[in-house]
Amino acid sequence: QSALTQPASVSGSPGQSITISCTGTSSDVGGYNYVSWYQQHPGKAPKLMIYDVSNRPSGVSNRFSGSKSGNTASLTISGLQAEDEADYYCSSYTSSSTQVFGGGTKLTVL
Amino acid sequence: EVQLVESGGGLVQPGGSLRLSCAASGFTFSSYWMSWVRQAPGKGLEWVANIKQDGSEKYYVDSVKGRFTISRDNAKNSLYLQMNSLRAEDTAVYYCARGGVGCSSTSCPIPTWFDPWGQGTLVTVSS
């Protein structure tokens, strides 16, 4: 199972919006509406930010949103804040009843 | 408060074995799929294994099949990962995580997300 493809890094200034892409195949991202996104600060456990493509868990800011088109899913963070600086990972359910993560994207808030 | 606490990590020689544990509290453990996810030092997340709420279904990433075994004891609210024939590339922080929406009396879907996660336990495979 190959990892999903994410950009290694993205950056933005406070108040701006950024989008992180996550590209897979028809056997994972494209085949199911089961993409999730996780935020991980250094030395901390990952935190669920988006599930099933575009759903936000209770307590997650509405500045975080998710979408999908074909084999590519996206996480958008609007109104960037300093505390958003972290690593972000996408994940997808697969046709083998397994899960696959992306390689991760480091977000820098300038 | 939902809480997951891993233990059992440490230094082990290549070819050795280790058993990780995850103690769950704050939710009905027996109603959820549970998972192990690992993260090699400085690297990304890698899903390792899932186990259904009653242990009847288990899934593994190809790289650990035949070497790792996921199990659970619902009476003890505990999840386990038995790791045998360990390799240097198994060196990682191992997280346990609750899988997706819980099971109902009629449905127990494979998890499509993980929440929450434990704090992780470090496994180092080195001579």
Side-chain angles (χ1 to χ4, degrees):
Chain A
Q1 186 70 48
S2 298
L4 306 176
T5 300
Q6 297 181 232
S9 63
V10 298
S11 63
S13 299
Q16 287 186 332
S17 295
I18 63 94
T19 296
I20 299 171
S21 62
C22 170
T23 301
T25 68
S26 58
S27 295
D28 39 63
V29 174
Y32 308 91
N33 288 324
Y34 294 147
V35 175
S36 52
W37 290 90
Y38 303 86
Q39 176 192 66
Q40 187 180 35
H41 287 107
K44 300 295 186 182
K47 174 187 175 183
L48 177 69
M49 305 303 284
I50 296 288
Y51 67 95
D52 292 353
V53 176
S54 59
N55 295 288
R56 264 189 322 275
S58 174
V60 172
S61 170
N62 59 10
R63 298 185 298 105
F64 291 82
S65 62
S67 63
K68 192 190 86 166
S69 177
N71 294 338
T72 298
S74 299
L75 173 71
T76 297
I77 308 174
S78 59
L80 267 181
Q81 298 179 1
E83 59 261 37
D84 298 333
E85 185 162 294
D87 293 328
Y88 290 86
Y89 294 90
C90 63
S91 180
S92 175
Y93 177 77
T94 81
S95 58
S96 302
S97 300
T98 61
Q99 288 277 341
V100 62
F101 282 92
T105 298
K106 181 177 179 59
L107 169 61
T108 300
V109 180
L110 302 171
Chain B
E1 177 194 7
V2 175
Q3 196 169 13
L4 299 169
V5 179
E6 301 93 337
S7 61
L11 175 64
V12 60
Q13 292 188 339
S17 298
L18 210 56
R19 188 195 196 207
L20 306 183
S21 299
C22 172
S25 61
F27 66 101
T28 305
F29 180 74
S30 58
S31 293
Y32 285 85
W33 284 78
M34 294 296 295
S35 306
W36 288 100
V37 179
R38 66 184 178 183
Q39 185 171 33
K43 303 297 184 181
L45 300 172
E46 180 183 38
W47 171 81
V48 174
N50 283 345
I51 185 169
K52 196 175 181 180
Q53 100 283 18
D54 60 0
S56 61
E57 293 181 38
K58 304 175 185 180
Y59 298 92
Y60 300 91
V61 67
D62 286 346
S63 60
V64 309
K65 282 181 181 176
R67 300 189 299 123
F68 290 12
T69 302
I70 189 172
S71 63
R72 63 191 296 162
D73 185 336
N74 287 344
K76 295 183 177 180
N77 289 341
S78 293
L79 174 72
Y80 307 102
L81 186 67
Q82 177 66 45
M83 303 185 295
N84 299 330
S85 302
L86 282 161
R87 307 166 180 167
E89 54 264 36
D90 296 318
T91 294
V93 173
Y94 284 73
Y95 296 100
C96 73
R98 188 177 70 176
V101 65
C103 303
S104 69
S105 58
T106 56
S107 173
C108 196
I110 289 178
T112 59
W113 74 86
F114 307 109
D115 178 59
W117 300 53
Q119 85 290 348
T121 187
L122 176 62
V123 173
T124 303
V125 184
S126 175
S127 55

